[in-house]
Amino acid sequence: MEYKSLTNGVTLPKLGYGTFQIPPEDTKHCILEALQCGYRLFDTAASYANEKEIGEAILESGIPREEIFLTTKVWIQDAGYAKTREAFERSCANLGVSYIDIYLIHQPYNDYYGSWRAMEELYDEGRIKVIGVCNFSAERLVDLCMNSRIQPMLDQVEFHPLFAQKELNDVLAMYPCQLEAWGPLNEGQRDIFHHPELIKIAAKYDRTVAQIVLRWHMQHDVIAIPKTVDPQRMKENMAIFDFRLDEADMAAIDALDIGYSEIIDHQSYMTAKWLNKYKIHD
Ligand SMILES: NC(=O)c1ccc[n+]([C@@H]2O[C@H](COP(=O)([O-])OP(=O)(O)OC[C@H]3O[C@@H](n4cnc5c(N)ncnc54)[C@H](OP(=O)(O)O)[C@@H]3O)[C@@H](O)[C@H]2O)c1
């Protein structure tokens, strides 16, 4: 494992485990498998409706709480100061924990300034170790950094070889705020596992395409949280700490960037409308 220290001194594993879209009945055994493979950083969200199963699996594993890094997120519906404080307590209760390691604003919509004030307070109270955001573009991030008492320590955004968010990277480096990659494998889209350039590089290092892509993340000093329900793939994705891509191969992978997302466009009014309509509780 490689580690990354954030601005506030908290050190996180650079490779974690994503839990979006794992079928509810599979969540518990997937988390137990992932723990066995050595994953210690877990990513969930109130909107994934799996916090309870994740908390149960961690408890059942017997691994001490302080060895685990739990991430969860406040959904749009719970934006605002008071609602975020309530949502935070709900997530803690679901996960069966008294503190959250990484608490994030899930989407850059609704009253996220109110949420941020609540999160700053919870951070001061020692209930959250790292506060941050998700899906914040460069200008929203700058705005939040310039108008808050505590600056976000992490921005979880889509990031992979086909969408490497160059401008955002420069802005994050300025503050600095750590980039955490969701969709590090492009959610398997655009046939990424059969991309000719990636296959060529994978053959050179005798690795799989997934390993090459995740190794590229590590060398960009990004935290990545790939999701898989397959125990073999959990191991495969973790086996990336015994080789390095050379500069030419890093550059060849950098050159695959198409400059836009094929998964979601947060700048589109349709995305804002669709996500704002999505309710996770009454
Ligand atoms: N903040 C946000 O708005 C946001 C948005 C999206 C995701 N996330 C977080 O980021 C995590 C990761 O992103 P993601 O799940 O969207 O996409 P991802 O990790 O890029 O890709 C997951 C897909 O890749 C497959 N896969 C994983 N490892 C593989 C391997 N070694 N070989 C071949 N296929 C492999 C998985 O299939 P199998 O499961 O069948 O193996 C699944 O179809 C999520 O789980 C979630 O925790 C956050």
Side-chain angles (χ1 to χ4, degrees):
M1 182 55 68
E2 291 172 11
Y3 296 88
K4 180 74 192 173
S5 289
L6 306 190
T7 44
N8 66 344
V10 171
T11 300
L12 300 172
K14 277 172 70 177
L15 191 77
Y17 182 77
T19 67
F20 182 42
Q21 290 172 333
I22 296 180
E25 64 278 14
D26 293 336
T27 303
K28 205 166 158 185
H29 76 82
C30 279
I31 301 295
L32 285 165
E33 284 282 357
L35 284 163
Q36 257 202 332
C37 287
Y39 292 89
R40 291 295 180 266
L41 170 67
F42 292 89
D43 184 77
T44 181
S47 65
Y48 300 172
N50 60 11
E51 290 173 319
K52 207 160 173 287
E53 291 78 2
I54 292 171
E56 283 168 9
I58 290 171
L59 192 66
E60 200 175 306
S61 74
I63 295 173
R65 168 74 184 91
E66 60 275 17
E67 287 181 23
I68 310 272
F69 298 87
L70 267 178
T71 309
T72 193
K73 316 182 187 100
V74 57
W75 185 242
I76 305 168
Q77 186 185 357
D78 294 318
Y81 175 82
K83 285 189 188 165
T84 294
R85 286 220 55 133
E86 280 169 31
F88 175 80
E89 295 303 343
R90 234 178 359 251
S91 283
C92 283
N94 283 338
L95 287 159
V97 297
S98 59
Y99 70 91
I100 300 289
D101 296 277
I102 308 173
Y103 198 57
L104 306 175
I105 292 175
H106 202 154
Q107 302 291 350
Y109 306 127
N110 199 358
D111 179 16
Y112 56 75
Y113 269 96
S115 296
W116 193 253
R117 304 289 170 244
M119 290 162 66
E120 286 177 327
E121 249 179 45
L122 288 159
Y123 179 78
D124 287 340
E125 291 163 17
R127 303 286 307 283
I128 308 174
K129 307 281 183 208
V130 172
I131 50 175
V133 295
C134 299
N135 303 309
F136 270 47
S137 55
E139 85 287 354
R140 289 213 186 207
L141 188 89
V142 168
D143 186 59
L144 182 61
C145 286
M146 293 185 73
N147 294 292
S148 51
R149 183 169 59 83
I150 305 177
Q151 293 188 354
M153 293 142 200
L154 186 144
D155 191 2
Q156 185 186 103
V157 293
E158 181 185 345
F159 178 87
H160 47 77
L162 302 178
F163 185 40
Q165 307 235 36
K166 294 219 161 56
E167 188 198 28
L168 179 63
N169 268 285
D170 293 343
V171 170
L172 289 170
M174 235 155 68
Y175 277 92
C177 177
Q178 176 64 38
L179 194 151
E180 182 173 48
W182 70 251
L185 301 170
N186 196 24
E187 298 190 339
Q189 292 187 34
R190 212 179 230 245
D191 213 10
I192 191 165
F193 300 115
H194 299 104
H195 192 293
E197 185 64 35
L198 294 172
I199 287 184
K200 202 171 83 192
I201 297 171
K204 175 174 160 187
Y205 292 87
D206 195 18
R207 300 285 165 154
T208 66
V209 166
Q211 288 173 323
I212 295 299
V213 169
L214 293 171
R215 186 64 222 164
W216 172 86
H217 283 77
M218 297 300 104
Q219 289 181 220
H220 274 304
D221 227 10
V222 155
I223 298 172
I225 45 168
K227 167 261 174 189
T228 176
V229 294
D230 180 338
Q232 275 313 111
R233 288 176 178 175
M234 288 179 201
K235 287 194 194 114
E236 176 188 329
N237 295 349
M238 188 59 114
I240 57 167
F241 297 106
D242 56 350
F243 75 107
R244 278 188 74 78
L245 296 167
D246 67 29
E247 263 180 47
D249 292 325
M250 284 296 286
I253 302 172
D254 288 344
L256 302 180
D257 188 4
I258 59 171
Y260 58 90
S261 169
E262 291 185 317
I263 298 176
I264 190 165
D265 177 5
H266 278 93
Q267 271 73 58
S268 153
Y269 78 90
M270 286 186 291
T271 304
K273 226 172 146 175
W274 161 57
L275 290 177
N276 265 288
K277 278 185 182 163
Y278 185 76
K279 305 292 178 206
I280 62 167
H281 56 76
D282 295 337

